[in-house]
Amino acid sequence: MTVGVGLIGAGVISAQYLANLTTFPDLEVRFVADIDLDRAKARAEEFGVPASGTTEQLLADDGIAIVVNLTLPSVHAEVDLQILAAGKHVWSEKPIATNAEDARRVLDAAEAAGLRVAVAPDTVLGAGLQTAFRAIADGRIGAPQTATTMVLNPGPERWHPAPEFLFQAGGGPLLDLGPYYLTTLVTLFGPVVRVSAVGSIGRPERVIESGPRAGTSFEVTVPTHSALLLEFGGGASAQATFSFESALPRSGFFEVTGTTGAIVLPDPNMFDGESALWTLESWKGYTGQDRPTPEQIEPVGPTSGRGLGVLDLARAIAAGVPERASGALAAHVLDVMLAAAEASEQGAAVAVTSRVAAPEPLPADWNPYERTLE
Ligand SMILES: NC(=O)c1ccc[n+]([C@@H]2O[C@H](COP(=O)([O-])OP(=O)(O)OC[C@H]3O[C@@H](n4cnc5c(N)ncnc54)[C@H](O)[C@@H]3O)[C@@H](O)[C@H]2O)c1
């Protein structure tokens, strides 16, 4: 048996999803919807999806069990509620919502209907991060205690043809990039209990640099540089910087330090990449020359890309077990990001009260290209 999938939002990221979802034998993509019907039709044709049209038409298809919501953050919750009201499970792009109340409404509606809501990122399920998680769980750095992460770039208006949403409520590097790095931190350390932060806007107006609207300027209404200090319930701490302000790109800088070693993880915005392990042991005998070289750890596991989480959701529903990229995890990460925004406005640390359990690791031999659902 294959699980029927529909996709709403045929924009930039839908191409990556469709390229993968159409290759997983457990899934069958049946419909692409968008408010722009031509765009939906073009995407459906590009990937051999048999039907396209409006959200209402998609939701009327009884063969669709999971709907992938790739619309904009400002309407994620509204579209999720529509999907749930039609009796279908949700996979939503991040962030789950732009405020905690909407996230709660979505999770409550799912619970009341006996349906699931799973949310991006699914990069945490990729071989790169899962291999690093296994090394940490195996004690390779001792007890993990602190982390440093940073992602800096000049901003997505260089390549996104409609980038305004990334500079307005629900966006900024904190809500756009934060989910990848914060979900990874929560997976490693458990829930965040307190956040301190500063945020700033470097350039209040930006100009679209690519696509048919190149040259159009737009207003920036949320911080484009956010620096956070995070405290976790278990006593760990982390610092995280998210910025659309830097001409010096730093993608996916993510390091975890433990009692006996440190590990450099691959970029949490990617599915692949090796890790580098440094141990205190390797410094023994160091005399000021020849620094130890780190051990490179090659990734083991699936590297297919966006859509892995949708497949995990389908398999988890069939098996009656929790999906890994849960809505509860996404809602906690949203709480952390909103607490950071509040902390930077108030100039004081803000407590985070929601709690969530870290998701189960993915088995190294988990194969997206195997048919598992009978
Ligand atoms: N672009 C990326 O590289 C990228 C990467 C990862 C995640 N995402 C996330 O994916 C989501 C979409 O991003 P994008 O870059 O594809 O945006 P986009 O603007 O290119 O596409 C969004 C699409 O959603 C449609 N849409 C908007 N509101 C709708 C509604 N109410 N009903 C039906 N369709 C609607 C729009 O017409 C548009 O075609 C965002 O949440 C973003 O954070 C984007």
Side-chain angles (χ1 to χ4, degrees), residues 8-17 33-36 39-40 43 54-55 69-76 78-79 82 92-95 120 159-163 165-166 170 175-176 180 269 306:
I8 305 176
V12 172
I13 206 60
S14 65
Q16 273 187 41
Y17 271 92
D34 199 293
I35 40 178
D36 183 331
R39 192 176 293 166
R43 270 288 190 258
T54 64
T55 295
N69 176 3
L70 307 182
T71 61
L72 300 179
S74 56
V75 294
H76 281 169
E78 173 189 324
V79 173
Q82 253 184 295
S92 172
E93 250 306 332
K94 45 74 190 169
W159 55 268
H160 201 294
F165 78 93
L166 297 165
L175 267 76
D176 181 46
Y180 300 102
N269 196 356
R306 289 190 166 81

Side-chain angles (χ1 to χ4, degrees), residues 161-236:
E164 290 93 330
F165 78 93
L166 297 165
F167 293 87
Q168 290 158 4
L174 177 61
L175 267 76
D176 181 46
L177 298 172
Y180 300 102
Y181 303 86
L182 297 169
T183 304
T184 304
L185 286 170
V186 172
T187 300
L188 283 168
F189 293 132
V192 173
V193 295
R194 200 158 63 140
V195 187
S196 312
V198 289
S200 53
I201 296 178
R203 287 169 281 147
E205 195 177 274
R206 297 227 179 183
V207 179
I208 301 174
E209 292 180 22
S210 69
R213 293 166 57 236
T216 310
S217 59
F218 62 92
E219 198 189 348
V220 175
T221 59
V222 292
T224 40
H225 181 97
S226 295
L228 282 55
L229 281 177
L230 303 143
E231 298 166 63
F232 296 83

Side-chain angles (χ1 to χ4, degrees), residues 121-369:
D122 51 4
T123 46
V124 275
L125 305 180
L129 288 179
Q130 286 285 327
T131 303
F133 295 159
R134 281 194 290 273
I136 294 170
D138 287 348
R140 303 292 309 275
I141 62 167
Q145 296 189 318
T146 58
T148 305
T149 185
M150 186 183 286
V151 50
L152 313 176
N153 63 55
E157 77 276 24
R158 289 164 300 132
W159 55 268
H160 201 294
E164 290 93 330
F165 78 93
L166 297 165
F167 293 87
Q168 290 158 4
L174 177 61
L175 267 76
D176 181 46
L177 298 172
Y180 300 102
Y181 303 86
L182 297 169
T183 304
T184 304
L185 286 170
V186 172
T187 300
L188 283 168
F189 293 132
V192 173
V193 295
R194 200 158 63 140
V195 187
S196 312
V198 289
S200 53
I201 296 178
R203 287 169 281 147
E205 195 177 274
R206 297 227 179 183
V207 179
I208 301 174
E209 292 180 22
S210 69
R213 293 166 57 236
T216 310
S217 59
F218 62 92
E219 198 189 348
V220 175
T221 59
V222 292
T224 40
H225 181 97
S226 295
L228 282 55
L229 281 177
L230 303 143
E231 298 166 63
F232 296 83
S237 66
Q239 49 184 303
T241 303
F242 308 112
S243 184
F244 288 160
E245 289 292 347
S246 178
L248 166 63
R250 281 197 191 281
S251 50
F253 178 104
F254 198 114
E255 300 175 357
V256 184
T257 301
T259 46
T260 63
I263 187 166
V264 182
L265 274 62
D267 185 348
N269 196 356
M270 303 300 217
F271 290 81
D272 205 354
E274 58 187 23
S275 303
L277 179 75
W278 301 75
T279 60
L280 291 178
E281 179 69 26
S282 66
W283 286 90
K284 283 213 170 119
Y286 175 68
T287 56
Q289 316 241 323
D290 298 330
R291 265 163 51 140
T293 47
E295 176 189 339
Q296 300 297 322
I297 304 176
E298 294 299 324
V300 179
T303 56
S304 324
R306 289 190 166 81
L308 279 182
V310 181
L311 180 60
D312 176 62
L313 172 64
R315 289 178 175 178
I317 293 167
V321 300
E323 67 283 357
R324 290 179 173 81
S326 71
L329 176 58
H332 175 68
V333 167
L334 177 66
D335 286 344
V336 174
M337 297 188 293
L338 296 174
E342 191 184 332
S344 65
E345 273 163 31
Q346 294 186 353
V350 172
V352 179
T353 53
S354 60
R355 298 288 178 263
V356 69
E360 286 290 308
L362 201 64
D365 61 355
W366 197 85
N367 181 0
Y369 303 107

Side-chain angles (χ1 to χ4, degrees), residues 7 9-23 29 32 39 42-44 46-47 49 68 70 304-307:
L7 185 150
V12 172
I13 206 60
S14 65
Q16 273 187 41
Y17 271 92
L18 286 166
N20 294 319
L21 293 176
T22 53
T23 62
V29 186
V32 177
R39 192 176 293 166
R43 270 288 190 258
E46 186 182 346
F47 291 96
V49 178
V68 175
L70 307 182
S304 324
R306 289 190 166 81

